[in-house]
Amino acid sequence: MNKKNLQSIIDDSSHIVFFGGAGVSTESGIPDFRSQDGLYRQQWAYPPETILSRSFFDAHPEEFFRFYREKMIVPNVKPNAAHYKLAELEQAGKLTAVVTQNIDGLHQAAGSKQVYELHGSVLRNYCMHCGTFYDVQYILNGAPVPVCANCGGIVKPDVVLYEESLDDRVIDGAVAAISNADTLIIGGTSLKVYPAASLIHYFQGKHLVLINRDETSADDTAELVIRDRIAHVLGEIQI
């Protein structure tokens, strides 16, 4: 019944925005952060929140990159049915944007064009001194602390660390997209990461849908709540 209702909502919509989190990529083999099997439940010398902070990056870059290479970069991952269906919805003119908390680049790999990456991407890396771009392989295969081949500056992943602010241009684009949406589908996110989670409050449209295996703070306000694997749910949508 829920999936039939979702199909009806999508059929009734022309400006869908999808707001997603780690649960969208778990079926591609990327661990999430806060589930029982997530990254934050695993053992490490420092708490992940500490390692993934800007102050730790500046003070202990070698330890940061050791953790980052092992835990944050997952080689050879592929998009799943959820990523592909969202790209199809965009191509069909039904979906206007994807707003994601993920840093894996899988939405673009599936074909999505309008993607607002709130927390950046592991696929982009820049020299902190001269701004030279480096791909993910440069981080994986480089020195313990990767440095720029042009100037010797440290190469930093283009991801938002704790203690860093989100990119204003990304935020503005995401807010505009959500504000103009007639349907907001929230999927695979605990809605516990702020300020990203607060963006859903800009939605003033007709249909609010939530697809997540666990309860969230938005359940009571959603028109439709589906407790199922998001790749399974979106994969069955007909366009």
Side-chain angles (χ1 to χ4, degrees):
M1 184 64 179
N2 280 344
K3 293 173 186 176
K4 290 182 180 178
N5 290 347
L6 177 59
Q7 183 70 60
S8 297
I9 289 172
I10 289 176
D11 291 343
D12 184 50
S13 304
S14 58
H15 292 82
I16 301 170
V17 169
F18 179 81
F19 181 94
V24 181
S25 294
T26 53
E27 292 177 68
S28 291
I30 296 177
D32 71 0
F33 277 67
R34 290 175 173 80
S35 72
Q36 288 298 322
D37 300 321
L39 179 60
Y40 280 27
R41 303 279 180 169
Q42 300 175 20
Q43 295 297 316
W44 203 259
Y46 298 87
E49 297 96 329
T50 299
I51 299 174
L52 295 174
S53 67
R54 179 56 188 266
S55 57
F56 190 92
F57 172 86
D58 290 335
H60 309 283
E62 186 166 342
E63 182 68 7
F64 170 89
F65 277 106
R66 189 170 73 85
F67 178 90
Y68 183 82
R69 288 186 180 97
E70 181 171 338
K71 297 297 185 182
M72 305 304 292
I73 301 176
V74 184
N76 303 316
V77 291
K78 304 295 183 184
N80 61 52
H83 297 106
Y84 285 118
K85 187 61 66 173
L86 292 168
E88 291 176 21
L89 286 167
E90 182 184 40
Q91 292 160 10
K94 302 283 285 183
L95 183 142
T96 56
V98 169
V99 180
T100 180
Q101 299 172 81
N102 297 336
I103 58 175
D104 49 49
L106 289 180
H107 285 293
Q108 293 93 326
S112 290
K113 304 299 183 185
Q114 191 62 57
V115 182
Y116 295 103
E117 297 175 306
L118 298 177
H119 298 147
S121 172
V122 298
L123 304 181
R124 299 187 302 267
N125 307 273
Y126 297 95
C127 172
M128 296 173 65
H129 181 68
C130 71
T132 299
F133 168 83
Y134 292 94
D135 63 15
V136 68
Q137 292 301 319
Y138 192 83
I139 303 298
L140 282 172
N141 302 325
V145 177
V147 295
C148 179
N150 294 327
C151 74
I154 293 178
V155 177
K156 181 184 179 295
D158 188 21
V159 298
V160 179
L161 302 177
Y162 290 104
E163 304 166 356
E164 291 185 322
S165 299
L166 304 186
D167 185 283
D168 287 340
R169 291 171 298 177
V170 175
I171 291 294
D172 290 346
V175 167
I178 292 171
S179 299
N180 291 315
D182 55 12
T183 294
L184 178 63
I185 301 175
I186 302 170
T189 173
S190 64
L191 294 178
K192 294 179 180 178
V193 177
Y194 285 83
S198 64
L199 298 184
I200 68 171
H201 299 304
Y202 288 93
F203 176 66
Q204 301 177 11
K206 186 176 181 181
H207 304 292
L208 178 61
V209 177
L210 204 147
I211 308 169
N212 200 55
R213 69 182 186 184
D214 300 319
E215 293 183 4
T216 78
S217 58
D219 286 11
D220 291 342
T221 57
E223 173 183 348
L224 177 62
V225 177
I226 301 177
R227 298 263 182 264
D228 202 346
R229 296 183 298 111
I230 191 165
H232 178 65
V233 173
L234 293 184
E236 292 189 345
I237 293 298
Q238 302 297 314
I239 301 175

